Every structure is written in structure tokens, then in C-alpha cells.
Amino acid sequence: MRCVYCGHGETQVVETRETDEAVRRRRRCQKCERRFTTYERAEITLPTVVKKDGARVEFDRAKLRASMSLALRKRPVSTEQVEAALERIQERLLQDAQREVSTARLGELVMRELQALDKVAYVRFASVYRSFEDVDEFRQIIKDI
Ligand SMILES: [Zn+2]
């Protein structure tokens, strides 16, 4: 790995840490001795999300998380549990290996996870599921319940 400051070809890894999504490496340039951090991630290709009107949007884990969090509002479910559920959904999508996924299918996957996590959240999500298209819409509906 080339030094990001001086371009020198030799850098030394001084620290390696595994996080959930990446391997974080602290490096030190052997010439200028400055330090920088790199992140190593596996390249994964998630399907494009197809909305009911045919519009295509990029898969967005943050959006999915926001939807689940809304359904789980004030429910005794930890952030770790939500992240684990998101991980399972993502893995499922990768296993399916389809280039596109409908919002309906995404909704099904979310419902399956919520059913196992928390019944109230499941009912919240399932009751508005048919009209679930984006987070803002869902947020509005949840507010009304
Ligand atoms: Zn350097």
C-alpha cells in the first residue's frame, strides 16, 4: 500500500482490527512516518429495488434500518438485534442472486424478521405493508397509529 502523503511504496501495518463490515488497518509510512487508516471490504452486489410504479432505486440498508426502527419504536429490541436482522435480510438477497428485488419481496423479508423479533412491531409493519413504498410514507402511517 502506497503512502497517501508522500507516495512512498512501503507502508507498515501497525494495527489491524476486525469490525463487522470491514477490516481496519492502521498503517505507517516507512519514509515520512505519517500514519493513515485503510478499510478493507468484500465487494458485494445487492439487487436493485423495484418499486410498485416500476421506478428503480439502489438498495439502501439505512432506509431498511429506518423502516424497521420505526416499526420497533419504543419496543424492547436492541440495536444489535436489528443489525443482525438486517444482516440476515442482506444475506438472503445475496443468496437469491437476483439483479432486482421488488419492494413487496423486501417487505416480506422484513416482516419475517419482525415476526421473530417483536409481535407488536410485526403487526405495525404488516398492517401498513401493502402501502409501504418508502420510509417517509411509512413514518407518516406509523405516526397515525
Ligand atoms: Zn510517506
Side-chain angles (χ1 to χ4, degrees), residues 3-8 10-11 28-34 36:
C3 171
V4 295
Y5 299 105
C6 72
H8 184 66
E10 300 286 316
T11 51
R28 189 181 60 218
C29 175
Q30 294 185 345
K31 191 177 169 198
C32 74
E33 296 196 334
R34 276 188 275 197
F36 59 97

Side-chain angles (χ1 to χ4, degrees), residues 68-80:
M68 290 187 75
S69 300
L70 277 171
L72 286 160
R73 202 169 55 155
K74 293 182 181 166
R75 298 301 302 160
V77 175
S78 70
T79 311
E80 287 74 22

Side-chain angles (χ1 to χ4, degrees), residues 19 42-43 50 62 92 135 141:
T19 67
E43 190 177 61
V50 184
R92 192 56 201 263
V135 176
I141 294 163

Side-chain angles (χ1 to χ4, degrees), residues 68-129:
M68 290 187 75
S69 300
L70 277 171
L72 286 160
R73 202 169 55 155
K74 293 182 181 166
R75 298 301 302 160
V77 175
S78 70
T79 311
E80 287 74 22
Q81 284 175 293
V82 176
E83 286 307 318
L86 284 165
E87 204 56 46
R88 282 192 293 272
I89 291 171
Q90 204 167 299
E91 264 165 35
R92 192 56 201 263
L93 292 172
L94 289 170
Q95 272 171 21
D96 288 353
Q98 300 292 322
R99 287 166 72 177
E100 297 186 334
V101 62
S102 64
T103 48
R105 167 84 174 134
L106 265 187
E108 270 169 35
L109 293 173
V110 170
M111 281 207 295
R112 198 178 301 169
E113 290 296 333
L114 288 178
Q115 196 169 18
L117 279 177
D118 185 88
K119 289 283 178 283
V120 171
Y122 168 71
V123 170
R124 279 178 185 167
F125 194 89
S127 63
V128 297
Y129 160 58

